[in-house]
Amino acid sequence: MSDFNLVGVIRVMPTDPDVNLDELEAAIRKTLEEKFGGKYGISKIDREPIAFGLVALKVYVLGKDAEGYSFDEVAEAFTQVENVESAEVETVSRF
């Protein structure tokens, strides 16, 4: 993971409060690996209560500051995951 020097925070909204967040986290990790094969990594996933029992996942995605890296493409991939209502890049930081 030492190659990574950017972190993008992507907020993933489930379709409803009844979505199993453990399963959703697993599906997001699997999607990242299948679609990008190690190009990106996940440092952590936090849970952020929104309202009415709905909890968003804040996915901290690691990438390299190089051509061809786009956290928007990762967010787009996350929107294809079952039970995901939306995914949007909140911030991108260098570390």
Side-chain angles (χ1 to χ4, degrees):
M1 295 242 180
S2 59
D3 291 352
F4 297 119
N5 62 1
L6 293 177
V7 62
V9 180
I10 299 175
R11 180 197 241 180
V12 177
M13 296 294 292
T15 50
D16 65 68
D18 300 326
V19 170
N20 181 317
L21 295 177
D22 293 331
E23 289 175 8
L24 188 57
E25 279 189 29
I28 283 171
R29 288 179 189 279
K30 183 178 174 195
T31 294
L32 192 71
E33 182 56 39
E34 285 179 353
K35 287 203 183 290
F36 303 107
K39 180 176 175 180
Y40 297 98
I42 291 179
S43 66
K44 66 178 179 171
I45 300 178
D46 287 341
R47 296 183 181 189
E48 177 185 32
I50 303 300
F52 309 109
L54 190 63
V55 177
L57 298 179
K58 292 185 84 154
V59 184
Y60 292 76
V61 179
L62 303 173
K64 297 182 189 86
D65 188 9
E67 267 185 63
Y69 277 78
S70 164
F71 290 104
D72 289 332
E73 76 177 353
V74 176
E76 177 61 31
F78 290 167
T79 63
Q80 306 304 312
V81 174
E82 187 178 356
N83 295 321
V84 171
E85 179 68 35
S86 64
E88 98 181 67
V89 178
E90 287 192 332
T91 61
V92 175
S93 306
R94 181 176 301 279
F95 66 88

